[in-house]
PDB file of all heavy atoms in Angstrom:
ATOM      1  N   MET A   3     -20.854  11.385 -30.220  1.00  0.00           N
ATOM      2  CA  MET A   3     -19.787  10.473 -29.778  1.00  0.00           C
ATOM      3  C   MET A   3     -20.254   9.043 -30.062  1.00  0.00           C
ATOM      4  O   MET A   3     -21.417   8.717 -29.837  1.00  0.00           O
ATOM      5  CB  MET A   3     -19.578  10.669 -28.272  1.00  0.00           C
ATOM      6  CG  MET A   3     -18.483   9.804 -27.691  1.00  0.00           C
ATOM      7  SD  MET A   3     -18.457   9.999 -25.897  1.00  0.00           S
ATOM      8  CE  MET A   3     -17.727  11.647 -25.786  1.00  0.00           C
ATOM      9  N   GLN A   4     -19.332   8.223 -30.588  1.00  0.00           N
ATOM     10  CA  GLN A   4     -19.752   6.847 -30.868  1.00  0.00           C
ATOM     11  C   GLN A   4     -18.623   5.897 -30.509  1.00  0.00           C
ATOM     12  O   GLN A   4     -17.456   6.134 -30.846  1.00  0.00           O
ATOM     13  CB  GLN A   4     -20.105   6.690 -32.357  1.00  0.00           C
ATOM     14  CG  GLN A   4     -20.835   5.389 -32.616  1.00  0.00           C
ATOM     15  CD  GLN A   4     -21.107   5.175 -34.085  1.00  0.00           C
ATOM     16  OE1 GLN A   4     -20.258   5.528 -34.922  1.00  0.00           O
ATOM     17  NE2 GLN A   4     -22.260   4.610 -34.397  1.00  0.00           N
ATOM     18  N   LEU A   5     -19.003   4.829 -29.813  1.00  0.00           N
ATOM     19  CA  LEU A   5     -18.018   3.813 -29.441  1.00  0.00           C
ATOM     20  C   LEU A   5     -18.184   2.649 -30.423  1.00  0.00           C
ATOM     21  O   LEU A   5     -19.281   2.077 -30.542  1.00  0.00           O
ATOM     22  CB  LEU A   5     -18.299   3.323 -28.008  1.00  0.00           C
ATOM     23  CG  LEU A   5     -17.387   2.234 -27.462  1.00  0.00           C
ATOM     24  CD1 LEU A   5     -15.949   2.738 -27.366  1.00  0.00           C
ATOM     25  CD2 LEU A   5     -17.848   1.787 -26.070  1.00  0.00           C
ATOM     26  N   VAL A  27     -21.994   1.682 -30.348  1.00  0.00           N
ATOM     27  CA  VAL A  27     -22.974   2.310 -29.444  1.00  0.00           C
ATOM     28  C   VAL A  27     -22.871   3.810 -29.653  1.00  0.00           C
ATOM     29  O   VAL A  27     -21.801   4.391 -29.462  1.00  0.00           O
ATOM     30  CB  VAL A  27     -22.667   1.959 -27.965  1.00  0.00           C
ATOM     31  CG1 VAL A  27     -23.715   2.599 -27.058  1.00  0.00           C
ATOM     32  CG2 VAL A  27     -22.623   0.458 -27.767  1.00  0.00           C
ATOM     33  N   GLY A  28     -23.968   4.394 -30.098  1.00  0.00           N
ATOM     34  CA  GLY A  28     -23.959   5.846 -30.346  1.00  0.00           C
ATOM     35  C   GLY A  28     -24.537   6.577 -29.154  1.00  0.00           C
ATOM     36  O   GLY A  28     -24.866   5.973 -28.119  1.00  0.00           O
ATOM     37  N   GLN A  29     -24.630   7.891 -29.299  1.00  0.00           N
ATOM     38  CA  GLN A  29     -25.168   8.696 -28.175  1.00  0.00           C
ATOM     39  C   GLN A  29     -26.643   8.384 -27.993  1.00  0.00           C
ATOM     40  O   GLN A  29     -27.370   8.190 -28.975  1.00  0.00           O
ATOM     41  CB  GLN A  29     -24.943  10.187 -28.472  1.00  0.00           C
ATOM     42  CG  GLN A  29     -23.603  10.652 -27.951  1.00  0.00           C
ATOM     43  CD  GLN A  29     -23.410  12.162 -28.115  1.00  0.00           C
ATOM     44  OE1 GLN A  29     -23.054  12.588 -29.210  1.00  0.00           O
ATOM     45  NE2 GLN A  29     -23.664  12.923 -27.073  1.00  0.00           N
ATOM     46  N   GLY A  30     -27.028   8.281 -26.733  1.00  0.00           N
ATOM     47  CA  GLY A  30     -28.441   8.029 -26.440  1.00  0.00           C
ATOM     48  C   GLY A  30     -28.811   6.574 -26.658  1.00  0.00           C
ATOM     49  O   GLY A  30     -29.970   6.194 -26.551  1.00  0.00           O
ATOM     50  N   GLU A  31     -27.802   5.721 -26.947  1.00  0.00           N
ATOM     51  CA  GLU A  31     -28.149   4.313 -27.203  1.00  0.00           C
ATOM     52  C   GLU A  31     -27.726   3.450 -26.034  1.00  0.00           C
ATOM     53  O   GLU A  31     -26.769   3.780 -25.309  1.00  0.00           O
ATOM     54  CB  GLU A  31     -27.425   3.821 -28.468  1.00  0.00           C
ATOM     55  CG  GLU A  31     -28.025   4.383 -29.745  1.00  0.00           C
ATOM     56  CD  GLU A  31     -27.255   3.849 -30.965  1.00  0.00           C
ATOM     57  OE1 GLU A  31     -26.131   3.333 -30.757  1.00  0.00           O
ATOM     58  OE2 GLU A  31     -27.781   3.950 -32.077  1.00  0.00           O
ATOM     59  N   GLY A  32     -28.391   2.317 -25.890  1.00  0.00           N
ATOM     60  CA  GLY A  32     -28.047   1.391 -24.798  1.00  0.00           C
ATOM     61  C   GLY A  32     -27.808   0.021 -25.384  1.00  0.00           C
ATOM     62  O   GLY A  32     -28.607  -0.452 -26.194  1.00  0.00           O
ATOM     63  N   LEU A  33     -26.702  -0.635 -25.034  1.00  0.00           N
ATOM     64  CA  LEU A  33     -26.395  -1.980 -25.541  1.00  0.00           C
ATOM     65  C   LEU A  33     -26.535  -2.952 -24.377  1.00  0.00           C
ATOM     66  O   LEU A  33     -25.893  -2.776 -23.325  1.00  0.00           O
ATOM     67  CB  LEU A  33     -24.964  -2.017 -26.088  1.00  0.00           C
ATOM     68  CG  LEU A  33     -24.440  -3.398 -26.500  1.00  0.00           C
ATOM     69  CD1 LEU A  33     -25.207  -3.919 -27.705  1.00  0.00           C
ATOM     70  CD2 LEU A  33     -22.948  -3.343 -26.821  1.00  0.00           C
ATOM     71  N   LEU A  63     -13.237   5.320 -30.131  1.00  0.00           N
ATOM     72  CA  LEU A  63     -14.260   6.248 -29.634  1.00  0.00           C
ATOM     73  C   LEU A  63     -14.136   7.489 -30.502  1.00  0.00           C
ATOM     74  O   LEU A  63     -13.223   8.290 -30.327  1.00  0.00           O
ATOM     75  CB  LEU A  63     -13.959   6.569 -28.165  1.00  0.00           C
ATOM     76  CG  LEU A  63     -14.991   7.458 -27.479  1.00  0.00           C
ATOM     77  CD1 LEU A  63     -16.334   6.725 -27.392  1.00  0.00           C
ATOM     78  CD2 LEU A  63     -14.526   7.837 -26.094  1.00  0.00           C
ATOM     79  N   ARG A  75     -13.439   8.286 -19.293  1.00  0.00           N
ATOM     80  CA  ARG A  75     -14.674   8.940 -19.709  1.00  0.00           C
ATOM     81  C   ARG A  75     -15.873   8.132 -19.249  1.00  0.00           C
ATOM     82  O   ARG A  75     -17.003   8.441 -19.596  1.00  0.00           O
ATOM     83  CB  ARG A  75     -14.684   8.970 -21.246  1.00  0.00           C
ATOM     84  CG  ARG A  75     -14.624  10.309 -21.882  1.00  0.00           C
ATOM     85  CD  ARG A  75     -14.863  10.125 -23.363  1.00  0.00           C
ATOM     86  NE  ARG A  75     -13.605   9.959 -24.065  1.00  0.00           N
ATOM     87  CZ  ARG A  75     -12.854  11.018 -24.384  1.00  0.00           C
ATOM     88  NH1 ARG A  75     -13.254  12.221 -24.035  1.00  0.00           N
ATOM     89  NH2 ARG A  75     -11.725  10.848 -25.027  1.00  0.00           N
ATOM     90  N   SER A 148     -20.642  13.383 -13.704  1.00  0.00           N
ATOM     91  CA  SER A 148     -21.252  13.116 -15.034  1.00  0.00           C
ATOM     92  C   SER A 148     -20.164  12.626 -15.984  1.00  0.00           C
ATOM     93  O   SER A 148     -19.115  13.267 -16.160  1.00  0.00           O
ATOM     94  CB  SER A 148     -21.883  14.411 -15.570  1.00  0.00           C
ATOM     95  OG  SER A 148     -20.843  15.256 -15.999  1.00  0.00           O
ATOM     96  N   ARG A 149     -20.437  11.445 -16.537  1.00  0.00           N
ATOM     97  CA  ARG A 149     -19.490  10.863 -17.524  1.00  0.00           C
ATOM     98  C   ARG A 149     -20.316  10.279 -18.672  1.00  0.00           C
ATOM     99  O   ARG A 149     -21.351   9.649 -18.439  1.00  0.00           O
ATOM    100  CB  ARG A 149     -18.655   9.772 -16.846  1.00  0.00           C
ATOM    101  CG  ARG A 149     -17.588  10.398 -15.934  1.00  0.00           C
ATOM    102  CD  ARG A 149     -16.520   9.416 -15.541  1.00  0.00           C
ATOM    103  NE  ARG A 149     -15.305  10.119 -15.129  1.00  0.00           N
ATOM    104  CZ  ARG A 149     -14.140   9.501 -14.897  1.00  0.00           C
ATOM    105  NH1 ARG A 149     -14.054   8.189 -15.053  1.00  0.00           N
ATOM    106  NH2 ARG A 149     -13.068  10.158 -14.507  1.00  0.00           N
ATOM    107  N   PRO A 150     -19.878  10.460 -19.920  1.00  0.00           N
ATOM    108  CA  PRO A 150     -20.708  10.060 -21.072  1.00  0.00           C
ATOM    109  C   PRO A 150     -20.965   8.566 -21.174  1.00  0.00           C
ATOM    110  O   PRO A 150     -22.012   8.160 -21.667  1.00  0.00           O
ATOM    111  CB  PRO A 150     -19.908  10.558 -22.278  1.00  0.00           C
ATOM    112  CG  PRO A 150     -18.519  10.783 -21.789  1.00  0.00           C
ATOM    113  CD  PRO A 150     -18.615  11.098 -20.335  1.00  0.00           C
ATOM    114  N   ILE A 151     -20.033   7.735 -20.711  1.00  0.00           N
ATOM    115  CA  ILE A 151     -20.211   6.287 -20.946  1.00  0.00           C
ATOM    116  C   ILE A 151     -20.484   5.589 -19.610  1.00  0.00           C
ATOM    117  O   ILE A 151     -19.773   5.841 -18.626  1.00  0.00           O
ATOM    118  CB  ILE A 151     -18.939   5.689 -21.594  1.00  0.00           C
ATOM    119  CG1 ILE A 151     -18.610   6.436 -22.887  1.00  0.00           C
ATOM    120  CG2 ILE A 151     -19.121   4.212 -21.872  1.00  0.00           C
ATOM    121  CD1 ILE A 151     -17.258   6.062 -23.475  1.00  0.00           C
ATOM    122  N   TRP A 152     -21.518   4.759 -19.592  1.00  0.00           N
ATOM    123  CA  TRP A 152     -21.774   3.942 -18.398  1.00  0.00           C
ATOM    124  C   TRP A 152     -21.512   2.479 -18.737  1.00  0.00           C
ATOM    125  O   TRP A 152     -22.057   1.971 -19.725  1.00  0.00           O
ATOM    126  CB  TRP A 152     -23.239   4.099 -17.929  1.00  0.00           C
ATOM    127  CG  TRP A 152     -23.499   5.384 -17.199  1.00  0.00           C
ATOM    128  CD1 TRP A 152     -22.670   6.464 -17.138  1.00  0.00           C
ATOM    129  CD2 TRP A 152     -24.672   5.713 -16.440  1.00  0.00           C
ATOM    130  NE1 TRP A 152     -23.245   7.455 -16.391  1.00  0.00           N
ATOM    131  CE2 TRP A 152     -24.477   7.031 -15.938  1.00  0.00           C
ATOM    132  CE3 TRP A 152     -25.855   5.046 -16.130  1.00  0.00           C
ATOM    133  CZ2 TRP A 152     -25.436   7.673 -15.151  1.00  0.00           C
ATOM    134  CZ3 TRP A 152     -26.807   5.687 -15.350  1.00  0.00           C
ATOM    135  CH2 TRP A 152     -26.597   6.991 -14.858  1.00  0.00           C
ATOM    136  N   LEU A 153     -20.684   1.805 -17.931  1.00  0.00           N
ATOM    137  CA  LEU A 153     -20.424   0.363 -18.114  1.00  0.00           C
ATOM    138  C   LEU A 153     -20.929  -0.327 -16.854  1.00  0.00           C
ATOM    139  O   LEU A 153     -20.298  -0.242 -15.795  1.00  0.00           O
ATOM    140  CB  LEU A 153     -18.920   0.119 -18.289  1.00  0.00           C
ATOM    141  CG  LEU A 153     -18.218   0.935 -19.386  1.00  0.00           C
ATOM    142  CD1 LEU A 153     -16.701   0.829 -19.259  1.00  0.00           C
ATOM    143  CD2 LEU A 153     -18.678   0.481 -20.765  1.00  0.00           C
ATOM    144  N   ALA A 172     -32.806   6.064 -13.748  1.00  0.00           N
ATOM    145  CA  ALA A 172     -31.491   6.745 -13.884  1.00  0.00           C
ATOM    146  C   ALA A 172     -30.879   6.411 -15.246  1.00  0.00           C
ATOM    147  O   ALA A 172     -30.362   7.285 -15.955  1.00  0.00           O
ATOM    148  CB  ALA A 172     -30.558   6.290 -12.762  1.00  0.00           C
ATOM    149  N   MET A 173     -30.991   5.127 -15.643  1.00  0.00           N
ATOM    150  CA  MET A 173     -30.393   4.729 -16.934  1.00  0.00           C
ATOM    151  C   MET A 173     -31.115   5.451 -18.068  1.00  0.00           C
ATOM    152  O   MET A 173     -30.481   5.936 -19.029  1.00  0.00           O
ATOM    153  CB  MET A 173     -30.498   3.205 -17.106  1.00  0.00           C
ATOM    154  CG  MET A 173     -29.570   2.444 -16.160  1.00  0.00           C
ATOM    155  SD  MET A 173     -30.134   0.759 -15.874  1.00  0.00           S
ATOM    156  CE  MET A 173     -29.220  -0.086 -17.150  1.00  0.00           C
ATOM    157  N   MET A 174     -32.440   5.580 -17.917  1.00  0.00           N
ATOM    158  CA  MET A 174     -33.232   6.276 -18.949  1.00  0.00           C
ATOM    159  C   MET A 174     -32.766   7.727 -19.022  1.00  0.00           C
ATOM    160  O   MET A 174     -32.457   8.240 -20.112  1.00  0.00           O
ATOM    161  CB  MET A 174     -34.719   6.183 -18.596  1.00  0.00           C
ATOM    162  CG  MET A 174     -35.625   6.716 -19.670  1.00  0.00           C
ATOM    163  SD  MET A 174     -35.284   5.963 -21.270  1.00  0.00           S
ATOM    164  CE  MET A 174     -35.980   4.317 -21.008  1.00  0.00           C
ATOM    165  N   ARG A 175     -32.639   8.358 -17.863  1.00  0.00           N
ATOM    166  CA  ARG A 175     -32.199   9.777 -17.851  1.00  0.00           C
ATOM    167  C   ARG A 175     -30.856   9.903 -18.551  1.00  0.00           C
ATOM    168  O   ARG A 175     -30.610  10.798 -19.362  1.00  0.00           O
ATOM    169  CB  ARG A 175     -32.079  10.268 -16.392  1.00  0.00           C
ATOM    170  CG  ARG A 175     -33.378  10.618 -15.719  1.00  0.00           C
ATOM    171  CD  ARG A 175     -33.146  11.466 -14.462  1.00  0.00           C
ATOM    172  NE  ARG A 175     -32.367  10.759 -13.433  1.00  0.00           N
ATOM    173  CZ  ARG A 175     -32.916   9.950 -12.519  1.00  0.00           C
ATOM    174  NH1 ARG A 175     -34.239   9.740 -12.545  1.00  0.00           N
ATOM    175  NH2 ARG A 175     -32.177   9.337 -11.602  1.00  0.00           N
ATOM    176  N   HIS A 176     -29.970   8.919 -18.291  1.00  0.00           N
ATOM    177  CA  HIS A 176     -28.620   8.987 -18.868  1.00  0.00           C
ATOM    178  C   HIS A 176     -28.686   8.930 -20.387  1.00  0.00           C
ATOM    179  O   HIS A 176     -28.058   9.720 -21.093  1.00  0.00           O
ATOM    180  CB  HIS A 176     -27.798   7.809 -18.342  1.00  0.00           C
ATOM    181  CG  HIS A 176     -26.433   7.682 -18.969  1.00  0.00           C
ATOM    182  ND1 HIS A 176     -25.433   8.615 -18.772  1.00  0.00           N
ATOM    183  CD2 HIS A 176     -25.910   6.764 -19.818  1.00  0.00           C
ATOM    184  CE1 HIS A 176     -24.337   8.273 -19.441  1.00  0.00           C
ATOM    185  NE2 HIS A 176     -24.603   7.138 -20.091  1.00  0.00           N
ATOM    186  N   MET A 177     -29.513   8.010 -20.889  1.00  0.00           N
ATOM    187  CA  MET A 177     -29.587   7.843 -22.363  1.00  0.00           C
ATOM    188  C   MET A 177     -30.245   9.058 -23.002  1.00  0.00           C
ATOM    189  O   MET A 177     -29.791   9.578 -24.013  1.00  0.00           O
ATOM    190  CB  MET A 177     -30.325   6.554 -22.706  1.00  0.00           C
ATOM    191  CG  MET A 177     -29.486   5.312 -22.411  1.00  0.00           C
ATOM    192  SD  MET A 177     -30.103   3.868 -23.284  1.00  0.00           S
ATOM    193  CE  MET A 177     -31.432   3.399 -22.207  1.00  0.00           C
ATOM    194  N   GLU A 178     -31.302   9.569 -22.320  1.00  0.00           N
ATOM    195  CA  GLU A 178     -32.000  10.739 -22.900  1.00  0.00           C
ATOM    196  C   GLU A 178     -31.056  11.927 -22.956  1.00  0.00           C
ATOM    197  O   GLU A 178     -31.103  12.743 -23.871  1.00  0.00           O
ATOM    198  CB  GLU A 178     -33.229  11.098 -22.066  1.00  0.00           C
ATOM    199  CG  GLU A 178     -34.496  10.362 -22.496  1.00  0.00           C
ATOM    200  CD  GLU A 178     -35.452  10.149 -21.327  1.00  0.00           C
ATOM    201  OE1 GLU A 178     -35.224  10.820 -20.288  1.00  0.00           O
ATOM    202  OE2 GLU A 178     -36.360   9.314 -21.435  1.00  0.00           O
ATOM    203  N   ALA A 179     -30.112  11.972 -21.997  1.00  0.00           N
ATOM    204  CA  ALA A 179     -29.196  13.124 -21.996  1.00  0.00           C
ATOM    205  C   ALA A 179     -28.077  12.896 -23.017  1.00  0.00           C
ATOM    206  O   ALA A 179     -27.093  13.627 -23.042  1.00  0.00           O
ATOM    207  CB  ALA A 179     -28.594  13.281 -20.594  1.00  0.00           C
ATOM    208  N   GLY A 180     -28.211  11.824 -23.837  1.00  0.00           N
ATOM    209  CA  GLY A 180     -27.211  11.620 -24.885  1.00  0.00           C
ATOM    210  C   GLY A 180     -26.035  10.792 -24.414  1.00  0.00           C
ATOM    211  O   GLY A 180     -24.971  10.760 -25.024  1.00  0.00           O
ATOM    212  N   GLY A 181     -26.213  10.057 -23.327  1.00  0.00           N
ATOM    213  CA  GLY A 181     -25.103   9.232 -22.826  1.00  0.00           C
ATOM    214  C   GLY A 181     -25.091   7.879 -23.522  1.00  0.00           C
ATOM    215  O   GLY A 181     -26.069   7.473 -24.157  1.00  0.00           O
ATOM    216  N   LEU A 182     -23.968   7.179 -23.428  1.00  0.00           N
ATOM    217  CA  LEU A 182     -23.865   5.808 -23.969  1.00  0.00           C
ATOM    218  C   LEU A 182     -23.983   4.843 -22.794  1.00  0.00           C
ATOM    219  O   LEU A 182     -23.461   5.109 -21.706  1.00  0.00           O
ATOM    220  CB  LEU A 182     -22.490   5.597 -24.636  1.00  0.00           C
ATOM    221  CG  LEU A 182     -22.206   6.313 -25.957  1.00  0.00           C
ATOM    222  CD1 LEU A 182     -21.832   7.777 -25.731  1.00  0.00           C
ATOM    223  CD2 LEU A 182     -21.083   5.608 -26.697  1.00  0.00           C
ATOM    224  N   LEU A 183     -24.672   3.744 -23.029  1.00  0.00           N
ATOM    225  CA  LEU A 183     -24.874   2.783 -21.931  1.00  0.00           C
ATOM    226  C   LEU A 183     -24.579   1.370 -22.415  1.00  0.00           C
ATOM    227  O   LEU A 183     -25.082   0.944 -23.459  1.00  0.00           O
ATOM    228  CB  LEU A 183     -26.340   2.874 -21.460  1.00  0.00           C
ATOM    229  CG  LEU A 183     -26.789   1.810 -20.446  1.00  0.00           C
ATOM    230  CD1 LEU A 183     -26.069   2.014 -19.118  1.00  0.00           C
ATOM    231  CD2 LEU A 183     -28.299   1.886 -20.228  1.00  0.00           C
ATOM    232  N   ILE A 184     -23.713   0.676 -21.697  1.00  0.00           N
ATOM    233  CA  ILE A 184     -23.492  -0.750 -21.995  1.00  0.00           C
ATOM    234  C   ILE A 184     -23.691  -1.486 -20.678  1.00  0.00           C
ATOM    235  O   ILE A 184     -23.003  -1.172 -19.693  1.00  0.00           O
ATOM    236  CB  ILE A 184     -22.066  -1.010 -22.539  1.00  0.00           C
ATOM    237  CG1 ILE A 184     -21.832  -0.163 -23.798  1.00  0.00           C
ATOM    238  CG2 ILE A 184     -21.859  -2.475 -22.821  1.00  0.00           C
ATOM    239  CD1 ILE A 184     -20.436  -0.304 -24.367  1.00  0.00           C
ATOM    240  N   THR A 196     -31.770  -0.158 -26.956  1.00  0.00           N
ATOM    241  CA  THR A 196     -31.823  -0.012 -28.418  1.00  0.00           C
ATOM    242  C   THR A 196     -31.126  -1.187 -29.100  1.00  0.00           C
ATOM    243  O   THR A 196     -31.475  -1.599 -30.172  1.00  0.00           O
ATOM    244  CB  THR A 196     -31.090   1.292 -28.826  1.00  0.00           C
ATOM    245  OG1 THR A 196     -29.884   1.361 -28.051  1.00  0.00           O
ATOM    246  CG2 THR A 196     -31.942   2.506 -28.537  1.00  0.00           C
TER     247      THR A 196
END
Side-chain angles (χ1 to χ4, degrees):
Chain A
M3 181 186 286
Q4 193 184 37
L5 179 63
V27 181
Q29 271 185 279
E31 286 180 344
L33 173 67
L63 184 65
R75 245 189 268 279
S148 75
R149 285 195 159 189
I151 304 171
W152 283 13
L153 307 168
M173 289 157 93
M174 187 53 73
R175 282 197 298 274
H176 174 67
M177 287 199 279
E178 271 151 14
L182 289 79
L183 172 67
I184 303 177
T196 43

